[in-house]
Amino acid sequence: DAMVIQNPRYQVTQFGKPVTLSCSQTLNHNVMYWYQQKSSQAPKLLFHYYDKDFNNEADTPDNFQSRRPNTSFCFLDIRSPGLGDAAMYLCATSRLPGGQETQYFGPGTRLLVL
Amino acid sequence: GESVGLHLPTLSVQEGDNSIINCAYSNSASDYFIWYKQESGKGPQFIIDIRSNMDKRQGQRVTVLLNKTVKHLSLQIAATQPGDSAVYFCAETGGATNKLIFGTGTLLAVQP
């Protein structure tokens, strides 16, 4: 009954080597989000898609990009990972944007940068 | 590697006791509140939510209380079990952005 799926669960990359994380959803939700979470901290929103409209957070570094080729899939691209980008990356979805819409999270991908 | 994280507030309870986790939220315009449970190495899991037109909502073994006057939210877990051990985040949202604002998180440690 997986609803928000993230692959892989663990990803190892080298400093400066581009990496892509994947998210898919079976909920047919219109909105997909990417969060970064570091140890013992709350998730931090990077950006989200409402259908095909991309909404970037003001403090998200240019190093982070996203693609949403269709309703079900969304990708997070890190163009040149630095050591500080090692974190858990969480994908979430909601039916609609706006208040009073629950966000449902995937299991996350743990990124390690060597 | 990762930068050193903050130390989370920790609540330690005995198995079978009731747990109360508190959260102060920041935005008086927030009108929707969610509690998430996050186990180690996993994504946040929705537990229960409450809208601002309510002050109490009950689920299975969990109750959320909302006090808008003092901007306070609490999660009560009845008969706490070892499987309840996790970090609990409150989150608030409101208005048109649907941007979730997370609290700092509380680590619940259940002692057998």
Side-chain angles (χ1 to χ4, degrees):
Chain A
D1 263 28
M3 296 187 292
V4 183
I5 304 156
Q6 291 188 246
N7 285 305
R9 295 295 312 280
Y10 299 91
Q11 177 73 57
V12 181
T13 191
Q14 292 179 330
F15 182 93
K17 185 175 180 181
V19 66
T20 295
L21 308 182
S22 300
C23 177
S24 64
Q25 52 125 345
T26 60
L27 296 162
N28 204 33
H29 281 176
N30 294 293
V31 192
M32 295 185 77
Y33 308 80
W34 279 104
Y35 288 84
Q36 180 192 66
Q37 187 179 28
K38 297 191 173 181
S39 289
S40 302
Q41 297 182 27
K44 177 181 181 296
L45 182 63
L46 296 173
F47 27 58
H48 74 275
Y49 270 97
Y50 174 30
D51 288 338
K52 297 184 183 212
D53 291 334
F54 178 69
N55 298 270
N56 199 30
E57 291 300 301
D59 56 354
T60 299
D62 292 341
N63 198 26
F64 293 87
Q65 304 284 323
S66 186
R67 295 171 284 134
R68 189 180 186 187
N70 54 52
T71 301
S72 301
F73 286 86
C74 195
F75 300 99
L76 170 62
D77 300 309
I78 308 177
R79 294 194 295 189
S80 182
L83 298 180
D85 296 328
M88 174 78 92
Y89 289 88
L90 297 163
C91 176
T93 74
S94 66
R95 189 175 58 93
L96 293 170
Q100 305 208 2
E101 287 287 337
T102 306
Q103 290 188 23
Y104 296 93
F105 286 81
T109 294
R110 171 76 64 185
L111 179 68
L112 181 61
V113 182
L114 301 177
Chain B
E2 282 186 40
S3 58
V4 175
L6 305 169
H7 289 288
L8 286 170
T10 299
L11 175 65
S12 186
V13 298
Q14 291 291 321
E15 181 178 359
D17 287 352
N18 296 333
S19 303
I20 300 175
I21 301 171
N22 296 303
C23 177
Y25 64 91
S26 55
N27 185 359
S28 55
S30 292
D31 55 10
Y32 182 50
F33 305 87
I34 308 168
W35 280 101
Y36 287 96
K37 172 187 179 183
Q38 187 172 26
E39 295 175 85
S40 181
K42 297 184 179 179
Q45 176 189 358
F46 172 88
I47 303 174
I48 192 167
D49 59 0
I50 189 167
R51 304 190 190 281
S52 59
N53 61 349
M54 303 173 70
D55 53 22
K56 179 179 180 179
R57 189 157 189 238
Q58 288 184 289
Q60 189 175 12
R61 280 202 309 119
V62 294
T63 301
V64 55
L65 299 177
L66 175 63
N67 184 332
K68 295 181 286 294
T69 303
V70 295
K71 292 191 288 186
H72 183 267
L73 195 66
S74 68
L75 177 70
Q76 300 177 0
I77 304 174
T80 313
Q81 302 168 359
D84 295 326
S85 294
V87 176
Y88 289 80
F89 288 100
C90 65
E92 59 181 298
T93 185
T97 65
N98 198 35
K99 186 170 177 176
L100 274 183
I101 302 171
F102 283 89
T104 52
T106 297
L107 174 63
L108 177 65
V110 182
Q111 309 301 323

